[in-house]
Amino acid sequence: MTTRVPQERRRRRPTRSGVLLSEDLIVETALRLIGEHGSEALSVRRLGAALGCDPSALYRYFHDTDDLVLAIADRIIGDAMAGFVPGDDWVASLREMALRVRAGYIAHPRAAALAAHRVTRRASEIRAVDTGIGLLLSAGFEPAAAARLYLAFVDTVISHAATDAAFQALPRQQREADQRAWRDVYQDLDPQSYPALTAVRSELPGMAGSSFEEAVDLLLEALAARAPGG
């Protein structure tokens, strides 16, 4: 869906409970419902009940639930990038962008599963893409390389951040069981069958954590090495 609901259809209107409807309020409510109940909570009926309005009123602001999903994805990006000002060091600035993306997804782990693979074509995403490509241009990359390398950078960041968010969205018992496996199951393997794992046995409990920052640093080191004059 590439078209937006016309502005005149998006005027703030009070619900039955006296709350003024707006795009922002609907997105905030949708994020809360998804956080509490998962993606199945994203329905016009449940949103209408939560907002105290007729479900059909939501169509004044969004064409359908997919249009709302795109707005949710853009809100996560916007919140993550709020206040971000790139510095003179393009590598450090890209690193901060990456950390912000992960923080945004971790803040809304259930919504991240809906948002991570979407192109929102909205203001927050557009600003983020412009900023990221601008940083690579400032490093001296030619336009074609800047666009291509930004795509590689952001796809890697988003994929890794979404994986971390998906883990956080698991029930606590499942998270703890997965983390214990590195300490329990992997510590008790046959050395003859698994010599490499035996050699690093003492390090394996650390596999329970996220490798996000190390992966980002490796990627940025590779970008810096390819930069003109780098």
Side-chain angles (χ1 to χ4, degrees):
M1 190 73 65
T2 56
T3 56
R4 303 299 308 281
V5 179
Q7 182 68 37
E8 60 270 17
R9 293 179 60 198
R10 294 188 282 117
R11 290 192 296 269
R12 290 164 62 86
R13 300 164 186 252
T15 67
R16 290 190 298 268
S17 59
V19 175
L20 286 175
L21 278 182
S22 67
E23 280 194 24
D24 284 345
L25 178 61
I26 294 168
V27 169
E28 288 166 7
T29 303
L31 276 170
R32 176 175 60 79
L33 289 177
I34 294 170
E36 293 173 353
H37 307 291
S39 60
E40 63 273 12
L42 191 62
S43 71
V44 171
R45 180 184 61 81
R46 294 189 73 164
L47 273 170
L51 289 163
C53 69
D54 190 289
S56 65
L58 302 177
Y59 292 113
R60 301 191 187 108
Y61 302 86
F62 300 99
H63 289 292
D64 50 30
T65 53
D66 191 62
D67 193 29
L68 176 56
V69 166
L70 297 179
I72 290 169
D74 206 62
R75 167 63 67 84
I76 294 173
I77 296 170
D79 288 349
M81 293 294 117
F84 174 62
V85 178
D88 295 333
D89 186 334
W90 64 273
V91 173
S93 295
L94 283 176
R95 190 177 194 279
E96 183 178 348
M97 284 186 69
L99 294 176
R100 283 170 171 265
V101 168
R102 182 180 184 274
Y105 283 0
I106 293 297
H108 303 286
R110 288 181 163 182
L114 297 173
H117 60 289
R118 303 306 303 272
V119 179
T120 77
R121 51 262 199 194
R122 284 164 166 79
S124 294
E125 177 189 77
I126 292 169
R127 282 194 298 271
V129 174
D130 183 73
T131 298
I133 291 178
L135 286 167
L136 290 170
L137 290 172
S138 74
F141 288 103
E142 294 295 327
R148 185 180 69 253
L149 293 174
Y150 176 75
L151 179 61
F153 167 78
V154 77
D155 277 357
T156 301
V157 167
I158 288 175
S159 297
H160 209 317
T163 297
D164 284 358
F167 179 75
Q168 292 300 318
L170 290 173
R172 178 177 58 82
Q173 295 89 341
Q174 292 182 20
R175 292 199 309 272
E176 292 177 351
D178 285 357
Q179 290 169 331
R180 285 196 306 271
W182 295 105
R183 187 191 65 221
D184 300 336
V185 175
Y186 276 80
Q187 293 294 301
D188 196 30
L189 297 174
D190 175 28
Q192 297 299 318
S193 299
Y194 305 101
L197 288 172
T198 300
V200 298
R201 177 177 289 165
S202 63
E203 305 300 326
L204 291 176
M207 299 281 278
S210 171
S211 63
F212 182 84
E213 291 194 44
E214 186 166 7
V216 167
D217 287 342
L218 287 170
L219 179 57
L220 290 174
E221 286 172 13
L223 285 174
R226 294 180 63 173

mmCIF file of all heavy atoms in Angstrom, residues 109-148:
data_model
loop_
_atom_site.group_PDB
_atom_site.id
_atom_site.type_symbol
_atom_site.label_atom_id
_atom_site.label_comp_id
_atom_site.label_asym_id
_atom_site.label_seq_id
_atom_site.Cartn_x
_atom_site.Cartn_y
_atom_site.Cartn_z
ATOM 1 N N PRO A 109 9.876 -6.075 21.318
ATOM 2 C CA PRO A 109 10.321 -7.317 20.680
ATOM 3 C C PRO A 109 9.243 -8.023 19.875
ATOM 4 O O PRO A 109 9.529 -8.600 18.824
ATOM 5 C CB PRO A 109 10.797 -8.172 21.861
ATOM 6 C CG PRO A 109 10.129 -7.592 23.064
ATOM 7 C CD PRO A 109 9.997 -6.134 22.785
ATOM 8 N N ARG A 110 8.012 -7.986 20.331
ATOM 9 C CA ARG A 110 6.952 -8.664 19.571
ATOM 10 C C ARG A 110 6.593 -7.888 18.307
ATOM 11 O O ARG A 110 6.317 -8.484 17.260
ATOM 12 C CB ARG A 110 5.722 -8.855 20.449
ATOM 13 C CG ARG A 110 5.904 -9.914 21.528
ATOM 14 C CD ARG A 110 4.652 -10.084 22.355
ATOM 15 N NE ARG A 110 4.677 -11.332 23.111
ATOM 16 C CZ ARG A 110 3.689 -11.747 23.893
ATOM 17 N NH1 ARG A 110 2.595 -11.004 24.039
ATOM 18 N NH2 ARG A 110 3.787 -12.888 24.536
ATOM 19 N N ALA A 111 6.610 -6.590 18.387
ATOM 20 C CA ALA A 111 6.326 -5.782 17.195
ATOM 21 C C ALA A 111 7.469 -5.864 16.199
ATOM 22 O O ALA A 111 7.251 -5.733 14.984
ATOM 23 C CB ALA A 111 6.082 -4.332 17.597
ATOM 24 N N ALA A 112 8.693 -6.078 16.683
ATOM 25 C CA ALA A 112 9.847 -6.163 15.790
ATOM 26 C C ALA A 112 9.680 -7.262 14.759
ATOM 27 O O ALA A 112 10.128 -7.135 13.615
ATOM 28 C CB ALA A 112 11.121 -6.383 16.594
ATOM 29 N N ALA A 113 9.035 -8.360 15.154
ATOM 30 C CA ALA A 113 8.827 -9.458 14.215
ATOM 31 C C ALA A 113 7.957 -9.034 13.039
ATOM 32 O O ALA A 113 8.109 -9.537 11.917
ATOM 33 C CB ALA A 113 8.190 -10.646 14.938
ATOM 34 N N LEU A 114 7.047 -8.094 13.265
ATOM 35 C CA LEU A 114 6.201 -7.581 12.197
ATOM 36 C C LEU A 114 6.897 -6.501 11.386
ATOM 37 O O LEU A 114 6.607 -6.321 10.193
ATOM 38 C CB LEU A 114 4.912 -6.981 12.788
ATOM 39 C CG LEU A 114 3.973 -7.913 13.545
ATOM 40 C CD1 LEU A 114 2.853 -7.096 14.180
ATOM 41 C CD2 LEU A 114 3.390 -8.956 12.610
ATOM 42 N N ALA A 115 7.828 -5.792 12.022
ATOM 43 C CA ALA A 115 8.374 -4.575 11.432
ATOM 44 C C ALA A 115 9.697 -4.749 10.715
ATOM 45 O O ALA A 115 9.993 -4.028 9.761
ATOM 46 C CB ALA A 115 8.539 -3.518 12.528
ATOM 47 N N ALA A 116 10.513 -5.690 11.150
ATOM 48 C CA ALA A 116 11.909 -5.723 10.727
ATOM 49 C C ALA A 116 12.096 -5.873 9.229
ATOM 50 O O ALA A 116 13.040 -5.325 8.658
ATOM 51 C CB ALA A 116 12.646 -6.848 11.457
ATOM 52 N N HIS A 117 11.223 -6.601 8.571
ATOM 53 C CA HIS A 117 11.417 -6.898 7.152
ATOM 54 C C HIS A 117 10.619 -5.987 6.224
ATOM 55 O O HIS A 117 10.589 -6.212 5.016
ATOM 56 C CB HIS A 117 11.035 -8.354 6.876
ATOM 57 C CG HIS A 117 9.600 -8.668 7.218
ATOM 58 N ND1 HIS A 117 9.161 -8.744 8.521
ATOM 59 C CD2 HIS A 117 8.522 -8.915 6.435
ATOM 60 C CE1 HIS A 117 7.868 -9.030 8.525
ATOM 61 N NE2 HIS A 117 7.459 -9.127 7.273
ATOM 62 N N ARG A 118 10.011 -4.943 6.770
ATOM 63 C CA ARG A 118 9.163 -4.072 5.966
ATOM 64 C C ARG A 118 9.876 -2.795 5.533
ATOM 65 O O ARG A 118 10.797 -2.327 6.203
ATOM 66 C CB ARG A 118 7.886 -3.684 6.734
ATOM 67 C CG ARG A 118 7.043 -4.840 7.196
ATOM 68 C CD ARG A 118 6.659 -5.792 6.055
ATOM 69 N NE ARG A 118 5.953 -5.135 4.978
ATOM 70 C CZ ARG A 118 4.618 -4.959 4.932
ATOM 71 N NH1 ARG A 118 3.878 -5.383 5.941
ATOM 72 N NH2 ARG A 118 4.063 -4.370 3.899
ATOM 73 N N VAL A 119 9.424 -2.247 4.409
ATOM 74 C CA VAL A 119 9.869 -0.926 3.948
ATOM 75 C C VAL A 119 8.715 0.020 4.242
ATOM 76 O O VAL A 119 7.654 -0.071 3.619
ATOM 77 C CB VAL A 119 10.200 -0.934 2.436
ATOM 78 C CG1 VAL A 119 10.624 0.454 1.986
ATOM 79 C CG2 VAL A 119 11.286 -1.957 2.141
ATOM 80 N N THR A 120 8.900 0.931 5.187
ATOM 81 C CA THR A 120 7.765 1.728 5.654
ATOM 82 C C THR A 120 7.371 2.843 4.695
ATOM 83 O O THR A 120 6.249 3.308 4.725
ATOM 84 C CB THR A 120 8.061 2.365 7.023
ATOM 85 O OG1 THR A 120 8.917 3.502 6.863
ATOM 86 C CG2 THR A 120 8.701 1.371 7.977
ATOM 87 N N ARG A 121 8.290 3.284 3.869
ATOM 88 C CA ARG A 121 8.133 4.453 2.982
ATOM 89 C C ARG A 121 7.523 5.650 3.711
ATOM 90 O O ARG A 121 6.716 6.402 3.178
ATOM 91 C CB ARG A 121 7.372 4.146 1.704
ATOM 92 C CG ARG A 121 6.031 3.453 1.795
ATOM 93 C CD ARG A 121 6.190 1.973 1.543
ATOM 94 N NE ARG A 121 4.943 1.329 1.187
ATOM 95 C CZ ARG A 121 4.807 0.013 1.183
ATOM 96 N NH1 ARG A 121 5.815 -0.750 1.509
ATOM 97 N NH2 ARG A 121 3.658 -0.533 0.827
ATOM 98 N N ARG A 122 7.930 5.844 4.927
ATOM 99 C CA ARG A 122 7.466 6.953 5.752
ATOM 100 C C ARG A 122 8.651 7.779 6.242
ATOM 101 O O ARG A 122 9.803 7.416 6.043
ATOM 102 C CB ARG A 122 6.639 6.429 6.924
ATOM 103 C CG ARG A 122 5.220 5.993 6.525
ATOM 104 C CD ARG A 122 4.604 5.137 7.616
ATOM 105 N NE ARG A 122 3.168 4.978 7.442
ATOM 106 C CZ ARG A 122 2.595 4.140 6.593
ATOM 107 N NH1 ARG A 122 3.352 3.379 5.813
ATOM 108 N NH2 ARG A 122 1.271 4.048 6.514
ATOM 109 N N ALA A 123 8.323 8.878 6.928
ATOM 110 C CA ALA A 123 9.319 9.907 7.209
ATOM 111 C C ALA A 123 10.506 9.407 8.023
ATOM 112 O O ALA A 123 11.660 9.732 7.720
ATOM 113 C CB ALA A 123 8.655 11.081 7.926
ATOM 114 N N SER A 124 10.258 8.613 9.075
ATOM 115 C CA SER A 124 11.365 8.201 9.943
ATOM 116 C C SER A 124 12.341 7.295 9.211
ATOM 117 O O SER A 124 13.564 7.450 9.335
ATOM 118 C CB SER A 124 10.824 7.486 11.190
ATOM 119 O OG SER A 124 10.078 8.383 11.985
ATOM 120 N N GLU A 125 11.811 6.348 8.464
ATOM 121 C CA GLU A 125 12.684 5.470 7.684
ATOM 122 C C GLU A 125 13.468 6.260 6.649
ATOM 123 O O GLU A 125 14.679 6.053 6.480
ATOM 124 C CB GLU A 125 11.850 4.400 6.992
ATOM 125 C CG GLU A 125 12.652 3.465 6.094
ATOM 126 C CD GLU A 125 11.744 2.572 5.274
ATOM 127 O OE1 GLU A 125 11.173 3.061 4.263
ATOM 128 O OE2 GLU A 125 11.595 1.395 5.642
ATOM 129 N N ILE A 126 12.797 7.167 5.958
ATOM 130 C CA ILE A 126 13.462 7.943 4.909
ATOM 131 C C ILE A 126 14.600 8.776 5.495
ATOM 132 O O ILE A 126 15.696 8.849 4.929
ATOM 133 C CB ILE A 126 12.442 8.828 4.169
ATOM 134 C CG1 ILE A 126 11.479 7.938 3.360
ATOM 135 C CG2 ILE A 126 13.142 9.823 3.249
ATOM 136 C CD1 ILE A 126 10.288 8.670 2.798
ATOM 137 N N ARG A 127 14.360 9.390 6.664
ATOM 138 C CA ARG A 127 15.423 10.167 7.306
ATOM 139 C C ARG A 127 16.594 9.271 7.700
ATOM 140 O O ARG A 127 17.761 9.659 7.548
ATOM 141 C CB ARG A 127 14.879 10.901 8.533
ATOM 142 C CG ARG A 127 14.095 12.158 8.217
ATOM 143 C CD ARG A 127 13.891 13.005 9.459
ATOM 144 N NE ARG A 127 13.118 12.309 10.475
ATOM 145 C CZ ARG A 127 11.788 12.348 10.556
ATOM 146 N NH1 ARG A 127 11.101 13.054 9.671
ATOM 147 N NH2 ARG A 127 11.151 11.701 11.511
ATOM 148 N N ALA A 128 16.290 8.084 8.221
ATOM 149 C CA ALA A 128 17.360 7.174 8.643
ATOM 150 C C ALA A 128 18.196 6.719 7.457
ATOM 151 O O ALA A 128 19.432 6.681 7.529
ATOM 152 C CB ALA A 128 16.766 5.970 9.366
ATOM 153 N N VAL A 129 17.537 6.378 6.354
ATOM 154 C CA VAL A 129 18.270 5.945 5.162
ATOM 155 C C VAL A 129 19.120 7.095 4.617
ATOM 156 O O VAL A 129 20.288 6.907 4.243
ATOM 157 C CB VAL A 129 17.299 5.425 4.083
ATOM 158 C CG1 VAL A 129 18.056 5.113 2.783
ATOM 159 C CG2 VAL A 129 16.570 4.182 4.569
ATOM 160 N N ASP A 130 18.545 8.285 4.593
ATOM 161 C CA ASP A 130 19.298 9.449 4.108
ATOM 162 C C ASP A 130 20.527 9.691 4.986
ATOM 163 O O ASP A 130 21.614 9.990 4.482
ATOM 164 C CB ASP A 130 18.390 10.678 4.114
ATOM 165 C CG ASP A 130 19.089 11.906 3.548
ATOM 166 O OD1 ASP A 130 19.283 11.966 2.326
ATOM 167 O OD2 ASP A 130 19.453 12.790 4.347
ATOM 168 N N THR A 131 20.361 9.547 6.295
ATOM 169 C CA THR A 131 21.482 9.756 7.212
ATOM 170 C C THR A 131 22.570 8.711 6.999
ATOM 171 O O THR A 131 23.757 9.041 6.925
ATOM 172 C CB THR A 131 20.985 9.704 8.663
ATOM 173 O OG1 THR A 131 20.038 10.758 8.878
ATOM 174 C CG2 THR A 131 22.142 9.858 9.639
ATOM 175 N N GLY A 132 22.167 7.441 6.904
ATOM 176 C CA GLY A 132 23.145 6.377 6.743
ATOM 177 C C GLY A 132 23.921 6.475 5.446
ATOM 178 O O GLY A 132 25.165 6.360 5.437
ATOM 179 N N ILE A 133 23.216 6.713 4.347
ATOM 180 C CA ILE A 133 23.906 6.862 3.067
ATOM 181 C C ILE A 133 24.771 8.114 3.081
ATOM 182 O O ILE A 133 25.891 8.125 2.546
ATOM 183 C CB ILE A 133 22.888 6.894 1.915
ATOM 184 C CG1 ILE A 133 22.253 5.506 1.753
ATOM 185 C CG2 ILE A 133 23.552 7.323 0.604
ATOM 186 C CD1 ILE A 133 21.198 5.423 0.672
ATOM 187 N N GLY A 134 24.281 9.163 3.722
ATOM 188 C CA GLY A 134 25.067 10.385 3.825
ATOM 189 C C GLY A 134 26.384 10.157 4.549
ATOM 190 O O GLY A 134 27.414 10.735 4.176
ATOM 191 N N LEU A 135 26.375 9.321 5.566
ATOM 192 C CA LEU A 135 27.615 9.021 6.285
ATOM 193 C C LEU A 135 28.611 8.298 5.389
ATOM 194 O O LEU A 135 29.815 8.583 5.420
ATOM 195 C CB LEU A 135 27.313 8.176 7.524
ATOM 196 C CG LEU A 135 26.653 8.937 8.689
ATOM 197 C CD1 LEU A 135 26.099 7.970 9.731
ATOM 198 C CD2 LEU A 135 27.659 9.890 9.337
ATOM 199 N N LEU A 136 28.140 7.391 4.569
ATOM 200 C CA LEU A 136 29.039 6.680 3.658
ATOM 201 C C LEU A 136 29.542 7.606 2.551
ATOM 202 O O LEU A 136 30.705 7.512 2.136
ATOM 203 C CB LEU A 136 28.330 5.461 3.068
ATOM 204 C CG LEU A 136 28.082 4.336 4.092
ATOM 205 C CD1 LEU A 136 27.161 3.283 3.510
ATOM 206 C CD2 LEU A 136 29.396 3.704 4.532
ATOM 207 N N LEU A 137 28.696 8.507 2.094
ATOM 208 C CA LEU A 137 29.165 9.500 1.119
ATOM 209 C C LEU A 137 30.240 10.388 1.731
ATOM 210 O O LEU A 137 31.237 10.733 1.070
ATOM 211 C CB LEU A 137 27.989 10.340 0.620
ATOM 212 C CG LEU A 137 26.967 9.647 -0.283
ATOM 213 C CD1 LEU A 137 25.774 10.560 -0.531
ATOM 214 C CD2 LEU A 137 27.606 9.235 -1.617
ATOM 215 N N SER A 138 30.060 10.734 3.004
ATOM 216 C CA SER A 138 31.054 11.586 3.673
ATOM 217 C C SER A 138 32.384 10.863 3.837
ATOM 218 O O SER A 138 33.427 11.504 3.981
ATOM 219 C CB SER A 138 30.532 12.033 5.038
ATOM 220 O OG SER A 138 30.570 10.979 5.988
ATOM 221 N N ALA A 139 32.347 9.521 3.811
ATOM 222 C CA ALA A 139 33.577 8.742 3.923
ATOM 223 C C ALA A 139 34.308 8.641 2.592
ATOM 224 O O ALA A 139 35.409 8.081 2.539
ATOM 225 C CB ALA A 139 33.258 7.342 4.432
ATOM 226 N N GLY A 140 33.692 9.167 1.528
ATOM 227 C CA GLY A 140 34.343 9.170 0.233
ATOM 228 C C GLY A 140 33.873 8.108 -0.727
ATOM 229 O O GLY A 140 34.384 8.015 -1.856
ATOM 230 N N PHE A 141 32.900 7.294 -0.334
ATOM 231 C CA PHE A 141 32.387 6.278 -1.245
ATOM 232 C C PHE A 141 31.618 6.934 -2.395
ATOM 233 O O PHE A 141 30.916 7.938 -2.200
ATOM 234 C CB PHE A 141 31.461 5.305 -0.518
ATOM 235 C CG PHE A 141 32.162 4.368 0.423
ATOM 236 C CD1 PHE A 141 32.125 4.575 1.794
ATOM 237 C CD2 PHE A 141 32.865 3.272 -0.063
ATOM 238 C CE1 PHE A 141 32.766 3.707 2.667
ATOM 239 C CE2 PHE A 141 33.517 2.398 0.803
ATOM 240 C CZ PHE A 141 33.467 2.618 2.166
ATOM 241 N N GLU A 142 31.752 6.377 -3.566
ATOM 242 C CA GLU A 142 30.966 6.834 -4.707
ATOM 243 C C GLU A 142 29.491 6.505 -4.463
ATOM 244 O O GLU A 142 29.168 5.575 -3.696
ATOM 245 C CB GLU A 142 31.446 6.152 -5.990
ATOM 246 C CG GLU A 142 32.853 6.531 -6.404
ATOM 247 C CD GLU A 142 32.956 8.007 -6.778
ATOM 248 O OE1 GLU A 142 31.967 8.551 -7.310
ATOM 249 O OE2 GLU A 142 34.011 8.617 -6.512
ATOM 250 N N PRO A 143 28.570 7.248 -5.100
ATOM 251 C CA PRO A 143 27.141 7.033 -4.844
ATOM 252 C C PRO A 143 26.680 5.582 -4.971
ATOM 253 O O PRO A 143 25.949 5.085 -4.103
ATOM 254 C CB PRO A 143 26.464 7.932 -5.884
ATOM 255 C CG PRO A 143 27.434 9.055 -6.067
ATOM 256 C CD PRO A 143 28.793 8.414 -5.982
ATOM 257 N N ALA A 144 27.086 4.885 -6.024
ATOM 258 C CA ALA A 144 26.643 3.495 -6.194
ATOM 259 C C ALA A 144 27.137 2.622 -5.055
ATOM 260 O O ALA A 144 26.399 1.782 -4.520
ATOM 261 C CB ALA A 144 27.139 2.951 -7.540
ATOM 262 N N ALA A 145 28.396 2.814 -4.655
ATOM 263 C CA ALA A 145 28.952 2.027 -3.559
ATOM 264 C C ALA A 145 28.286 2.389 -2.241
ATOM 265 O O ALA A 145 28.005 1.515 -1.412
ATOM 266 C CB ALA A 145 30.456 2.241 -3.471
ATOM 267 N N ALA A 146 28.022 3.678 -2.028
ATOM 268 C CA ALA A 146 27.392 4.116 -0.778
ATOM 269 C C ALA A 146 26.019 3.474 -0.608
ATOM 270 O O ALA A 146 25.672 2.995 0.480
ATOM 271 C CB ALA A 146 27.281 5.631 -0.744
ATOM 272 N N ALA A 147 25.235 3.460 -1.691
ATOM 273 C CA ALA A 147 23.900 2.857 -1.612
ATOM 274 C C ALA A 147 23.994 1.352 -1.375
ATOM 275 O O ALA A 147 23.281 0.790 -0.529
ATOM 276 C CB ALA A 147 23.122 3.144 -2.889
ATOM 277 N N ARG A 148 24.867 0.699 -2.109
ATOM 278 C CA ARG A 148 24.998 -0.766 -1.991
ATOM 279 C C ARG A 148 25.515 -1.164 -0.616
ATOM 280 O O ARG A 148 25.006 -2.105 0.009
ATOM 281 C CB ARG A 148 25.933 -1.280 -3.078
ATOM 282 C CG ARG A 148 26.045 -2.804 -3.135
ATOM 283 C CD ARG A 148 26.982 -3.245 -4.237
ATOM 284 N NE ARG A 148 28.378 -2.913 -3.948
ATOM 285 C CZ ARG A 148 29.063 -1.939 -4.548
ATOM 286 N NH1 ARG A 148 28.472 -1.187 -5.466
ATOM 287 N NH2 ARG A 148 30.330 -1.700 -4.226
#
